[in-house]
Amino acid sequence: MQYTPLAAVKHRVVLGQALPFNVLDASHALMLAKGQVVQTAPQLERLFERGALVDLAELQSPAERIRRVPRGALPDLWRSCVGDLYQALEQCSDEHFPEAIAQASQPVLALVERDPDLAIFQVLRQEANPLAQYGLDHALHTGITCALVARRLGWSDAEQERAMKVALTMNVSVFELQGQLATQTTPITPEQRQAVLAHPEFSARMLMLAGVTDTDWIKAVLWHHEVSDGSGYPRGLRGTSDLANLVRQADIYTTKLSRRANRKAVAPDEAARMVFMQDPQNSMINAIVKEFGLYPPGTFVRLVGGETGVVAQRGVSVKFPIVAVLSDAHGKPLPQPLRCDTSQPGRGVVATLGEDPGLARFSMSQLLTI
C-alpha cells in the first residue's frame, strides 16, 4: 500500500461532514474511520500535527479503481455497480436524484470503457434475471448500448454520459408496468396501453420534479418514441435530436434481445438483420449493428466442426467472433473453455443456438482468460 499525508489532501475533508476515507496514524493504525466527522479546524490541525496518513487507493474514484483492477475482478464489480445503479433509479422522486444517478452511472460507464465485450455480455445473457425487474434491466441494457455506440460515433465523454442517463431514465415512470407486461401472458389492457403512450411525458416530468435541469436530457426522454415520419408518440414529431434517435434505436434493438413471458428473445444475428432492414440508411442503426456484430459476446453458437460454445469477444469482423468452446462435436462437455478464433479456416460459426451449451459450469473469470 502507498500512503499520503492527510495534509496533502485536506481539500477532501469538509468540516462537519463524513470523512470520505480512513485516517491512519504514522504506524498505519486506524485513527478515524471513513464516515466519521471532523467538526472543527483545530481538530483537523491536530491530525496534521500527528502525521495522519491516507491510503492512496482510497483517494481513487470508483471509475479510477475500475480502470486499475485485474480483468478477472470485473464481473464482481459489474454486479456491485449494477446494484447501486438500480437503487439510484428506484429513488427518482428523491431531491438528490441527479447527483445519485450521476454517481451510480459513472462506474458503469467506466466498466463499459474498460471491457466493451464484457459490457455487451451483460446485455445478451439475462436468463437469471426475474422478469418482474424487466424495466430496470432494460434501462441498463439500453444504457450500455447507448454508451458503446456513442463512443463508436466519436461523441464526447459528456455526451456519452448523457446518452446513458437518457436511456436509464426514459421509462422511469413505468418501471413497474414494464415488469407487469413482461410477466403477463394476456393482451395489454386499454389502461396499460394508455400508460405506455403517456410515459415519455410522465418520465420527463418526473425528472424535472426531481431536479434534472439538463434540457437535452429531458427532451431526449420526451422524444425517445418519436419517429421521423411523424408516426411516433406522444406528439407525432418529425424532427427531434441525434440523442433521442440513438436512444430510440438502442431501445428497439435491446427489446428484441430480451425475453418476456409470452415470447423468446430474438437471436442477435436476426435482431441485427431486423433493425437494419427497417431503415438501412439510419446512421444510428448502422453503428449499433457494427458495434455488436452478428454474434455479439454472450451469443450461444455452433461451429463448423460441430462444437458449441459462447461468444466471449468480438473478432476481426462482425462475422468472426472469438468463441469460448464449451462442448465438443459430440456434445461432450469440456473441462475448461477453449479459445477459438472463428476467422481461421474451418472454424467459422454456422448457427446461433437458443439453448445453453454449458455456460453455467464456468465463471465469467474463466471465460475472460481463454
Side-chain angles (χ1 to χ4, degrees):
M1 294 183 180
Q2 294 180 304
Y3 303 91
T4 188
L6 176 63
V9 292
K10 61 183 179 181
H11 61 285
R12 300 282 295 273
V13 180
V14 180
L15 297 178
Q17 295 187 18
L19 284 167
F21 39 64
N22 294 316
V23 176
L24 312 175
D25 65 17
S27 64
H28 305 159
L30 183 66
M31 295 174 68
L32 292 173
K34 178 180 178 180
Q36 289 187 268
V37 177
V38 178
Q39 296 286 2
T40 66
Q43 287 178 328
L44 186 59
E45 285 296 330
R46 285 196 292 273
L47 290 172
F48 296 158
E49 293 167 1
R50 295 175 60 183
L53 302 172
V54 178
D55 186 343
L56 282 174
E58 292 194 59
L59 299 177
Q60 296 175 352
S61 69
E64 289 170 335
R65 287 197 293 272
I66 286 167
R67 296 184 185 106
R68 296 172 183 267
V69 298
R71 192 164 183 248
L74 294 178
D76 287 339
L77 280 173
W78 265 106
R79 283 187 285 273
S80 174
C81 291
V82 168
D84 292 341
L85 182 64
Y86 285 5
Q87 185 175 9
L89 285 172
E90 290 171 336
Q91 298 172 352
C92 181
S93 58
D94 189 278
E95 62 179 333
H96 300 295
F97 176 73
E99 295 81 8
I101 197 66
Q103 185 175 358
S105 62
Q106 286 167 5
V108 176
L109 280 165
L111 285 166
V112 172
E113 179 184 6
R114 169 68 190 275
D115 196 325
D117 291 314
L118 184 54
I120 293 174
F121 206 103
Q122 311 301 312
V123 178
L124 267 289
R125 296 273 55 89
Q126 308 170 21
E127 296 90 346
N129 297 351
L131 287 175
Q133 72 173 40
Y134 177 94
L136 290 170
D137 289 339
H138 181 62
L140 171 67
H141 301 151
T142 308
I144 290 171
T145 302
C146 285
L148 287 165
V149 176
R151 289 180 67 227
R152 172 175 284 274
L153 293 171
W155 290 14
S156 68
D157 290 346
E159 290 169 328
Q160 293 172 38
E161 182 175 355
R162 182 182 290 116
M164 173 169 274
K165 287 178 178 177
V166 172
L168 291 172
T169 58
M170 61 183 177
N171 300 325
V172 73
S173 65
V174 287
F175 282 154
E176 184 176 351
L177 175 60
Q178 286 184 302
Q180 293 172 4
L181 292 174
T183 58
Q184 185 173 306
T185 55
T186 55
I188 187 170
T189 68
E191 293 79 11
Q192 289 172 329
R193 185 173 299 280
Q194 184 178 5
V196 168
L197 293 175
H199 84 268
E201 291 185 322
F202 276 101
S203 293
R205 192 177 306 166
M206 285 179 67
L207 293 174
M208 288 187 286
L209 290 173
V212 174
T213 58
D214 183 335
T215 56
D216 290 332
W217 177 356
I218 297 294
K219 287 178 180 178
V221 168
L222 181 61
W223 294 340
H224 77 278
H225 281 296
E226 301 289 359
V227 184
S228 59
D229 63 4
S231 63
Y233 64 91
R235 300 181 181 180
L237 302 179
R238 291 182 176 273
T240 56
S241 66
D242 285 344
L243 178 58
N245 186 24
L246 170 58
V247 174
R248 185 173 79 86
Q249 300 300 343
D251 181 13
I252 293 170
Y253 176 67
T254 53
T255 295
K256 295 184 184 302
L257 298 176
S258 303
R259 64 186 177 93
R260 294 190 182 187
N262 60 357
R263 74 170 191 222
K264 294 182 179 179
V266 176
D269 54 341
E270 181 60 22
R273 291 188 187 98
M274 290 169 68
V275 297
F276 179 77
M277 294 306 296
Q278 287 176 355
D279 191 356
Q281 304 304 316
N282 189 297
S283 61
M284 301 302 178
I285 291 177
N286 279 277
I288 290 170
V289 172
K290 289 178 181 178
E291 184 67 25
F292 276 67
L294 294 177
Y295 311 111
T299 306
F300 299 137
V301 295
R302 185 181 305 280
L303 305 182
V304 170
E307 305 94 332
T308 57
V310 63
V311 175
Q313 301 171 31
R314 292 165 298 176
V316 295
S317 81
V318 296
K319 296 181 179 179
F320 300 117
I322 304 299
V323 173
V325 180
L326 307 177
S327 301
D328 66 19
H330 305 288
K332 181 180 178 181
L334 300 180
Q336 295 292 332
L338 295 180
R339 177 186 175 89
C340 175
D341 182 348
T342 62
S343 67
Q344 299 302 308
R347 303 297 286 164
V349 174
V350 294
T352 58
L353 303 175
E355 72 275 11
D356 181 350
L359 179 63
R361 294 184 289 114
F362 303 106
S363 68
M364 278 303 306
S365 294
Q366 288 174 291
L367 297 176
L368 289 176
T369 55
I370 60 168

